[in-house]
């Protein structure tokens, strides 16, 4: 499962109404581009229809088009018709991928995880293994909601000294009930946000290989069979960014350094899968904030506030004192009538507001949940910056907001960091971590707010 098409351009052909249409397909991280040439025949596609292309290496590539455009070129005697499109996803294998196909398991690779998946004891055990003694390479494994996710080291055998060598981790997902490609796409979002949270840097997944529910084996040209796997390609729509700041990085929030760490990380992954539906807006907010890094534009504080507001448990509480409030409302209306004032509706509206937790009360409660140590100065600064952040967010929503000097921009950055730190800490407190676990394997992008000057 190592064949790569990235950066390649291959000849292909498609079958339209019983006629073979030649063309070419180009693969890059940004897009998969296809051009089919019908010569004297018109070439067209139905909306939402997938196209099965036979490649020059004799593999089938099933492409799902978008941004389709028709064209034609002419000479004095002839007209040549062609069709161009980009593909939002392609599946490559020994046969075309059809709509009824379902995925039983899929594999993926990870970009640099900032030490999150470093497990020295497993590495040593793999290196010490001998032929016939297959090592256990699993780093983490979590099962929840009908899916089992595992991340393991790859290894290879050096026949010169009969020793195993270890390479980068890769992941595997197995489903109890087979899934469609769209369902797998949603599950990839679960994985990307989790590994990004645990590593404290953006982690990308890629190089996907899928195993269908049917066709467990594929025939070989010389006879016999091999395991049936298909390559799944999702172009990112942009060139892969190179991390130019590898020296100065936050440390990972989670880790897999020993057995206890790996269990805690596995438990957190199970929590992530189980709570994805309720937490997905908050998880996405975390992912966006991590991706932004040190970029603080107008969207940063808007996303930060959305992240906090989307965090379960961060909603304003409705106070359970309806009977008392109703008595106050009746008394106030009666007194207003005695004074000759007909303001019953305004009184009722004002009294109803007393039944909802104020924003300041909300922030105080959330800060108390997030900051466990008794530090009045830190909590006071937290409250001040939170109120400032939502005031700035309101300014962005209603008018243009310009930073007139460095001090004002510094206040903006600090206020944004306060909201992100609170949202992150509220999530961290919900993770199923042991009592002795501390986020301080080192500071990360969010918790560094706790150490800003008072």
């Amino acid at each position: 499962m190592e064949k790569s098409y990235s950066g390649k351009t291959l000849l292909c052909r498609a079958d339209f109404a019983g006629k073979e249409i030649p063309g070419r397909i180009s693969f890059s991280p940004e897009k998969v581009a296809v051009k089919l040439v019908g010569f004297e025949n018109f070439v067209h596609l139905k909306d939402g229809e997938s196209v099965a292309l036979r490649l020059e290496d004799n593999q089938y590539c099933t492409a799902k088009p978008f941004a389709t455009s028709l064209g034609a070129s002419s000479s004095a005697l002839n007209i040549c018709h062609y069709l161009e499109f980009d593909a939002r996803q392609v599946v490559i294998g020994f046969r075309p991928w059809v709509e009824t196909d379902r995925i039983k398991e899929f594999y993926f690779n990870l970009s640099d995880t900032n030490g999150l998946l470093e497990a020295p004891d497993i590495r040593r055990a793999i290196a010490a293994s001998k032929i016939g003694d297959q090592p256990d390479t699993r780093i983490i494994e979590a099962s929840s909601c009908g899916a089992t996710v595992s991340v393991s080291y790859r290894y290879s055998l050096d026949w010169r000294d009969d020793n195993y060598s270890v390479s980068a981790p890769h992941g595997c997902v197995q489903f109890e009930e087979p899934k469609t490609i769209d369902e797998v796409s949603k599950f990839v979002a679960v994985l990307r946000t989790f590994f990004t949270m645990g590593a404290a840097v953006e982690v990308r997944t890629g190089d996907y290989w899928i195993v269908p529910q049917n066709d467990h084996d594929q025939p070989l040209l010389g006879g016999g069979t091999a395991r049936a796997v298909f390559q799944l390609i999702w172009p990112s729509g942009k060139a892969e960014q190179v991390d130019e700041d590898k020296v100065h990085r936050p440390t990972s929030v989670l880790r897999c350094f020993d057995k206890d760490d790996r269990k805690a990380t596995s438990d957190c992954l199970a929590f992530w899968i189980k709570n994805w539906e309720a937490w997905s807006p908050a998880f996405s907010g975390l992912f966006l904030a991590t991706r932004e890094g040190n970029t603080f534009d107008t969207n940063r504080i808007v996303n930060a506030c959305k992240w906090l507001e989307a965090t379960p448990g961060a909603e304003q509480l409705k106070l359970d004192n309806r009977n008392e409030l109703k008595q106050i409302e009746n008394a106030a209306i009666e007194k207003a009538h005695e004074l000759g004032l007909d303001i019953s509706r305004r009184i009722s509206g004002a009294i109803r507001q007393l039944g909802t937790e104020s924003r300041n009360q909300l922030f105080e409660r959330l800060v108390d949940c997030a900051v466990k140590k008794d530090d009045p100065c830190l909590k006071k600064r937290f409250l001040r910056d939170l109120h400032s952040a939502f005031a700035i967010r309101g300014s962005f929503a209603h008018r243009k907001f310009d930073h007139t000097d460095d001090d004002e921009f510094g206040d903006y950055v600090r206020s944004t960091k306060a909201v992100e730190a609170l949202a992150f800490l509220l999530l961290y407190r919900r993770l199923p971590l042991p009592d002795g676990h501390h986020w301080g394997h080192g500071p990360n992008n969010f918790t560094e707010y706790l150490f800003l000057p008072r």
Side-chain angles (χ1 to χ4, degrees):
M1 297 193 301
E2 297 296 333
K3 187 171 184 179
S4 174
Y5 287 90
S6 181
K8 294 182 178 180
T9 297
L10 284 77
L11 300 176
C12 65
R13 69 184 187 191
D15 183 5
F16 280 94
K19 298 178 180 179
E20 291 185 348
I21 305 296
R24 59 107 178 101
I25 180 169
S26 299
F27 298 88
S28 71
E30 298 92 346
K31 64 180 181 178
V32 175
V34 179
K35 182 174 183 178
L36 300 175
V37 182
F39 292 98
E40 292 80 12
N41 301 309
F42 286 101
V43 187
H44 61 87
L45 296 174
K46 296 179 181 178
D47 291 340
E49 182 181 43
S50 294
V51 182
L53 307 171
R54 189 171 184 180
L55 306 180
E56 65 179 72
D57 63 359
N58 216 29
Q59 294 285 87
Y60 283 92
C61 175
T62 306
K64 194 169 186 178
F66 76 103
T68 303
S69 64
L70 298 170
S73 59
S74 62
S75 65
L77 298 175
N78 298 300
I79 296 179
C80 177
H81 300 279
Y82 61 86
L83 170 72
E84 294 181 306
F85 64 84
D86 293 340
R88 61 167 57 92
Q89 73 182 32
V90 297
V91 181
I92 301 175
F94 74 99
R95 62 163 175 80
W97 187 269
V98 297
E99 290 294 330
T100 56
D101 278 323
R102 295 294 181 267
I103 299 168
K104 188 67 176 176
E105 59 186 84
F106 79 95
Y107 299 85
F108 60 93
N109 286 343
L110 295 156
S111 64
D112 181 16
T113 58
N114 197 28
L116 165 65
L117 298 172
E118 188 61 36
D121 56 335
I122 296 180
R123 282 183 172 272
R124 289 192 296 267
I126 295 173
S129 298
K130 299 300 180 183
I131 298 177
D133 179 21
Q134 186 173 0
D136 184 0
T137 62
R138 286 176 299 174
I139 305 172
I140 59 174
E141 184 174 84
S143 296
S144 182
C145 301
T148 298
V149 181
S150 61
V151 178
S152 308
Y153 280 120
R154 281 198 175 100
Y155 65 92
S156 58
L157 179 66
D158 189 337
W159 293 99
R160 293 170 297 181
D161 54 12
D162 293 341
N163 286 331
Y164 290 102
S165 59
V166 186
S167 57
H170 74 290
C172 172
V173 181
Q174 296 176 312
F175 298 109
E176 291 181 5
E177 296 293 332
K179 305 294 182 183
T180 64
I181 289 181
D182 288 341
E183 290 171 329
V184 169
S185 174
K186 294 177 182 178
F187 199 85
V188 167
V190 179
L191 300 176
R192 290 190 68 186
T193 56
F194 173 76
F195 289 117
T196 293
M197 182 280 298
V201 296
E202 182 184 356
V203 176
R204 297 180 297 275
T205 57
D207 195 17
Y208 304 106
W209 292 84
I210 55 180
V211 178
Q213 179 186 14
N214 302 317
D215 287 338
H216 300 291
D217 297 311
Q218 57 179 317
L220 298 178
L221 184 62
T225 60
R227 191 185 188 205
V229 290
F230 292 76
Q231 188 171 5
L232 174 60
I233 299 175
W234 282 308
S236 63
K238 63 180 181 179
E240 294 294 338
Q241 297 180 350
V242 178
D243 189 349
E244 299 176 351
D245 192 25
K246 289 187 176 180
V247 177
H248 304 288
R249 279 185 157 195
T251 55
S252 59
V253 177
L254 304 175
R255 61 180 181 180
C256 299
F257 201 77
D258 57 33
K259 186 176 180 180
D260 292 337
D261 288 336
R262 291 193 287 274
K263 182 182 183 306
T265 301
S266 298
D267 291 343
C268 290
L269 176 54
F271 170 89
W272 213 266
I273 298 170
K274 180 179 179 181
N275 294 281
W276 174 255
E277 291 298 329
W279 281 79
S280 58
F283 291 159
S284 298
L286 181 149
F287 185 83
L288 290 174
T290 304
R291 173 181 284 180
E292 290 292 337
N294 290 321
T295 302
F296 288 87
D297 57 11
T298 57
N299 290 328
R300 181 71 178 263
I301 200 164
V302 173
N303 290 333
C305 293
K306 286 182 178 179
W307 174 14
L308 178 60
E309 291 170 339
T311 300
E315 306 89 354
Q316 288 178 292
L317 297 179
K318 300 293 184 179
L319 304 182
D320 189 18
N321 54 0
R322 296 180 181 177
N323 293 332
E324 292 82 353
L325 290 177
K326 189 62 177 178
Q327 293 177 13
I328 296 172
E329 177 185 345
N330 293 336
I333 292 174
E334 183 179 351
K335 185 64 177 178
H337 287 164
E338 291 177 1
L339 297 175
L341 300 175
D342 187 12
I343 53 174
S344 301
R345 291 185 178 179
R346 294 174 60 186
I347 291 174
S348 298
I351 295 298
R352 278 196 296 271
Q353 292 182 11
L354 297 178
T356 303
E357 185 180 34
S358 69
R359 174 169 285 181
N360 189 66
Q361 290 172 328
L362 170 67
F363 288 159
E364 287 180 343
R365 176 170 59 84
L366 296 181
V367 169
D368 286 339
C369 292
V371 181
K372 296 299 184 181
K373 61 181 179 179
D374 186 16
D375 191 337
C377 293
L378 172 61
K379 293 182 177 182
K380 183 177 180 180
R381 187 192 71 189
F382 228 142
L383 287 172
R384 180 195 67 205
D385 290 340
L386 290 171
H387 282 291
S388 175
F390 278 82
I392 294 172
R393 196 270 296 266
S395 298
F396 283 150
H398 295 94
R399 62 181 175 85
K400 185 177 180 181
F401 184 88
D402 292 323
H403 306 298
T404 57
D405 53 40
D406 291 343
D407 289 339
E408 190 173 77
F409 180 71
D411 291 340
Y412 167 67
V413 171
R414 189 180 62 252
S415 298
T416 304
K417 284 182 173 290
V419 181
E420 292 178 347
L422 180 58
F424 173 82
L425 288 169
L426 290 173
L427 166 62
Y428 185 83
R429 302 300 181 197
R430 295 285 292 274
L431 294 175
L433 294 167
D435 294 337
H437 186 91
H438 187 252
W439 63 262
H441 297 316
N444 59 67
N445 294 334
F446 307 119
T447 54
E448 67 181 7
Y449 171 83
L450 303 178
F451 303 104
L452 293 178
R454 306 290 174 85

